[in-house]
Amino acid sequence: MGIAARGLAAAARRAGLRAIVLDLFGDEDTRALAVEAIPLRRLGGFRIDPADLAEQLAVHAGPDLPIVLGTGFEQAPEMVDELAARFRLVGNGSATIARLKQPLAFAGLLAGLGIAHPRVFPERAPDGVRTLEKRIGGSGGCHVRPADAVGGSDRYLQEFVEGRTVSALFLGDGSEARLLGFSEQWSAPTPDAPFRYGGAAGPILLDPAIGQDVAAALGRLVAATGLVGLASADLVLHPPGWSLIEVNPRPGATLDVFDRPPLPPLLDLHFDACAGTLPDLPPLLPGEGVEVRAAGILYAPAFIEMRLDALPGWVADRPPQGTRIEAGEPVCTVLAAGHDLTEARAQLARRMDRIWRELSTASRKAAE
C-alpha cells in the first residue's frame, strides 16, 4: 500500500503473490495485477487519509495479512505504529524510519558513521551557503525548493550539493547491507517545483572504488539503524567523491528498473531480508545481456481527461477512462530500454512525447 502502489502490485505478481492493493489512484493496471485494488481517499494533494485507510483495512484485511508499505508513510509514524500493531508489518517500524527521516538526527548519525553528507540547518542558512528547503518525510521532490530560511515547523534546510544524482538500491537485514545496483535519477522541473522527481534509469556503472565505498557505508548505516528489507539511498556524485542525501526505507520507484532477471523477484528478497536473510548476489551491472531500463513520470502540461481507448504496453499506472487530470499532476509512467543509458533515455523521451500527443488529442476530440 502507498500513495501509488502499482509497482508493488507488479512486484507481488512477479513473486507469485496474490496482493490486495490500497493506494490513491486505483489505476487500471493496478486492478489487473491485484486480487483486489482499493482506492483510498486523499487529504490535500497526495496524502493518505488515515481514517479511510483504517476503515478499508478493517473491511478487506485480517490480522495475519503481511503488510508492505510504499511511499507516503515516512511523514506519518503514528500510521506505521498502528499498522504494525494490527498486522504483520514486513518492513521498517516507526523507530527506524524516524532515525532515517528526521533530518538533524540523520545528519548526526551520518557524521558519527563517517559518511559524507550535506549539512542540515533547522531555521536559517549561514551566509554564503546555498540551501534547499525540504519537508520532513517528504517524497517525490515537489516539496524541495531553494531557500535560505524555513517556512514552517515541518520544514528544514539542507545544503545544496551539485553533481550527478544517482540512487543505490540495497537490502538490509538489520545488521548488514547488500547492494543490488545503481540507477541515475533526474528531475522534471517546474517553476514552483524545480526538483520534482522525473524518473530513473539503470543499472548504471560507477567507478568501482565509489561502489565499494557506498556499499561499505550502507553496511554501517544498516547496522546502526536496524533497517530491514528493500531500500534506496539517494546520492550526489561530485569531485572528489559522493554525498549521501537521504535514505528511503521501503521499496520505491526503481522497482520498474530493477525487478527483472537476472535478479530474483525483489519482493521475495524483501521478505527474506526482513526475516534476516540476505542473498549472495553481486550488484547488477549493464552489459552482458543486461539492458538499461528507464521509467519516467509523465506530468500533464495542461488539463486533460483520460479518453484514449488503448495505451501501449510500455505505459504503466494507467488512469481509468474519464479521469480528470489537472495541469502538473502525474498522468502515467512511461517505460523504455536500451543497450546503454543514452539509448534508454532517448527512447523514453520519444515515447513520452508520443503518448502525450495521443492523450491530449483524444481528450480534445472527446470535448468537442
Side-chain angles (χ1 to χ4, degrees), residues 137-180:
S139 59
C142 288
H143 60 101
V144 181
R145 55 188 51 86
D148 57 10
V150 298
S153 59
D154 63 341
R155 305 273 172 166
Y156 69 100
L157 297 177
Q158 187 178 69
E159 183 177 13
F160 175 70
V161 179
E162 190 167 4
R164 183 187 184 191
T165 304
V166 303
S167 179
L169 181 69
F170 68 100
L171 291 161
D173 67 356
S175 58
E176 297 181 42
R178 184 76 75 244
L179 178 64
L180 296 180

Side-chain angles (χ1 to χ4, degrees), residues 317-341:
D317 299 315
R318 302 168 174 231
Q321 284 290 317
T323 300
R324 297 170 61 88
I325 303 170
E326 299 293 337
E329 291 188 339
V331 179
C332 60
T333 299
V334 179
L335 308 174
H339 295 298
D340 56 25
L341 182 63

Side-chain angles (χ1 to χ4, degrees), residues 2-364:
I3 291 175
R6 187 271 316 160
L8 282 173
R13 173 66 68 88
R14 184 179 177 229
L17 302 173
R18 292 166 51 82
I20 299 173
V21 177
L22 297 90
D23 73 359
L24 296 182
F25 293 95
D27 288 327
E28 290 187 343
D29 45 347
T30 304
R31 294 177 180 276
L33 289 163
V35 173
E36 192 169 8
I38 303 150
L40 296 170
R41 187 166 59 240
R42 65 173 71 176
L43 289 177
F46 297 107
R47 291 190 299 126
I48 295 169
D49 182 341
D52 185 48
L53 176 61
E55 181 179 334
Q56 297 299 337
L57 287 172
V59 173
H60 298 281
D64 294 330
L65 185 73
I67 297 288
V68 178
L69 303 181
T71 309
F73 294 91
E74 287 91 342
Q75 58 185 332
E78 69 285 350
M79 292 173 63
V80 177
D81 285 338
E82 183 177 348
L83 290 168
R86 295 179 54 200
F87 303 99
R88 182 161 65 92
L89 180 63
V90 185
N92 293 287
S94 62
T96 297
I97 293 172
R99 296 202 71 187
L100 294 166
K101 304 307 286 188
Q102 288 297 324
L104 291 174
F106 184 56
L109 174 66
L110 295 179
L113 295 173
I115 299 174
H117 62 283
R119 291 176 290 174
V120 171
F121 309 101
E123 295 180 354
R124 183 170 293 277
D127 290 343
V129 178
R130 295 175 64 191
T131 54
L132 302 175
E133 184 192 46
K134 298 184 175 184
R135 188 178 71 246
I136 297 173
S139 59
C142 288
H143 60 101
V144 181
R145 55 188 51 86
D148 57 10
V150 298
S153 59
D154 63 341
R155 305 273 172 166
Y156 69 100
L157 297 177
Q158 187 178 69
E159 183 177 13
F160 175 70
V161 179
E162 190 167 4
R164 183 187 184 191
T165 304
V166 303
S167 179
L169 181 69
F170 68 100
L171 291 161
D173 67 356
S175 58
E176 297 181 42
R178 184 76 75 244
L179 178 64
L180 296 180
F182 290 103
S183 60
E184 180 176 271
Q185 297 190 344
W186 59 87
S187 298
T190 68
D192 294 332
F195 295 93
R196 182 179 65 172
Y197 177 76
I204 60 172
L205 182 64
L206 299 187
D207 182 288
I210 289 179
Q212 293 170 9
D213 196 24
V214 171
L218 294 176
R220 299 197 299 276
L221 187 62
V222 167
T225 62
L227 182 148
V228 295
L230 272 174
S232 59
D234 292 342
L235 320 168
V236 172
L237 306 184
H238 54 80
W242 59 276
S243 293
L244 176 59
I245 306 302
E246 68 175 326
V247 171
N248 297 306
R250 51 165 171 77
T254 55
L255 284 171
D256 285 328
V257 171
F258 287 107
D259 195 16
R260 37 78 177 241
L263 288 177
L266 291 185
L267 211 54
D268 280 346
L269 298 183
H270 176 73
F271 273 73
D272 289 345
C274 290
T277 300
L278 293 179
D280 184 14
L281 291 172
L284 189 64
L285 300 174
E288 298 181 2
V290 177
E291 63 184 0
V292 175
R293 291 191 179 179
I297 308 299
L298 175 64
Y299 295 95
F303 168 81
I304 63 165
E305 279 193 21
M306 180 59 192
R307 294 298 181 189
L308 201 59
D309 292 332
L311 289 169
W314 38 262
V315 172
D317 299 315
R318 302 168 174 231
Q321 284 290 317
T323 300
R324 297 170 61 88
I325 303 170
E326 299 293 337
E329 291 188 339
V331 179
C332 60
T333 299
V334 179
L335 308 174
H339 295 298
D340 56 25
L341 182 63
T342 300
E343 186 176 293
R345 290 202 58 177
Q347 185 186 74
L348 180 67
R350 292 193 299 271
R351 287 180 170 181
M352 293 184 81
D353 287 342
R354 171 187 157 186
I355 198 63
W356 174 250
R357 289 196 305 271
E358 293 178 0
L359 287 168
S360 56
T361 298
S363 178
R364 186 177 62 253

